[in-house]
Amino acid sequence: MSTWAPARWRPPDPPPPPRGDRAPADGEAPAVEAALRPKQLDEFIGQERVREQLSLVLQAARQRGTAPDHVLLSGPPGLGKTTLSMIIAAELGAPIRITSGPAIQHAGDLAAILSSLTEGEVLFLDEIHRMSRPAEEMLYMAMEDFRVDVIVGKGPGATAIPLELPPFTLVGATTRAGLLPPPLRDRFGFTGHMEFYAPAELQRVVHRSAALLDVDIDPAGAAEIAGRSRGTPRIANRLLRRVRDYAQVRHDGLVTREIAAQALDVYEVDARGLDRLDRAVLDALLRLFGGGPVGLSTLAVAVGEESETVEEVAEPFLVREGLLARTPRGRIATAAAWQHLGLTPPVQLAGPRTVAQPGLFPEDPAV
């Protein structure tokens, strides 16, 4: 008669070593993004004006041997605000502490972070406009006087204990600079606004990332990916990885214009960079509501999405591309939207003065 015994535990096999200097697989997306980030200011592509201004601030601080002024970076997501904050720390040779505004809901949370900073350390605060109001008011004194007051106790017996902070540099990032209160915005010594990238700059980004990912790509293939990336390096890197997968599985690995176009068609990214949600919004606006005007909530129900998703994800790019307009009466489609979807626009959008309009008074000539 056999007796049962539990199986002995053994440690799992170690992962296979990486081949050469190839970047990690897409399953480790954060590691891939970190591998593609520039490490020095000279490696950062685009944003020429911000780079030049920031370089002067950092060089002057190094020559004086002091911490540079606090830095505020604003602009749409995906343009390199987090990367620039890491570059600032690297250029100063200082450690960096990374947190975000939504993570700081109480003044005590901010006091714990500030009290643990070392001299010259860089504190990166992402989405700084979403920080709570009590924490904002504590940050005012910390940025200006390098001091915070910690309240001990409650009621009449509460006392404020001043806590001196070592000099540090705060780097704030925000996608909505207008939501920052003026007292906080004015305490930043340098403010840089990030702009969308030109296609030529994005093509350089694609070539650099392709070299780091060991992807064979020709200039035409890089231009095709750059043209569908919405002027955003983060999207360009994401599309490059998807095109790499397609070229590896369906072809010999070389990325050409034709292969890039075929791959992006599979992933539902059209020639102007519109994805499935963008086209769904335009299609509903044109086919169901005749081009508008239509309210945001009605349009969101028509595409099966939340109003916030349509407003914050799809609309900014459609407005920037001139395909959609916001009016007091609702959202309306432009003539370019009809043309992009291959539909015939109404007469009033087909062109300027396509039909003669009668004058205001009988004696006025038609215009």
Side-chain angles (χ1 to χ4, degrees), residues 40-41 65 144 169 326:
Q40 301 294 330
L41 200 58
E144 194 166 14
T169 299
R326 296 174 175 175

Side-chain angles (χ1 to χ4, degrees), residues 277-328:
L277 176 60
D278 300 325
R279 288 193 303 275
V281 170
L282 285 185
D283 190 74
L285 182 58
L286 301 182
R287 298 181 188 272
L288 299 182
F289 305 107
V294 62
L296 174 62
S297 59
T298 303
L299 187 59
V301 170
V303 298
E305 297 285 351
E306 296 291 336
S307 300
E308 293 79 7
T309 302
V310 175
E311 185 177 18
E312 298 178 5
V313 177
E315 280 192 353
F317 180 67
L318 295 176
V319 172
R320 185 162 58 91
E321 288 292 300
L323 301 175
L324 182 144
R326 296 174 175 175
T327 69

Side-chain angles (χ1 to χ4, degrees), residues 2 14 29 32-33 39 47 67 74 77 81 129 135 182 187 237 253 262 272 275 297 313 331 350:
S2 61
V32 175
E33 293 294 338
K39 303 299 187 295
Q47 311 295 339
S74 64
K81 297 186 291 295
H129 64 275
R187 281 172 168 79
N237 289 331
Q262 294 172 12
R272 295 188 66 165
D275 58 15
S297 59
V313 177
R331 273 61 176 173

Side-chain angles (χ1 to χ4, degrees), residues 317-357:
F317 180 67
L318 295 176
V319 172
R320 185 162 58 91
E321 288 292 300
L323 301 175
L324 182 144
R326 296 174 175 175
T327 69
R329 298 178 58 194
R331 273 61 176 173
I332 62 173
T334 64
W338 294 87
Q339 182 179 5
H340 183 69
L341 294 187
L343 302 176
T344 302
V347 176
Q348 60 268 26
L349 292 178
R353 301 203 183 272
T354 54
V355 179
Q357 302 292 327

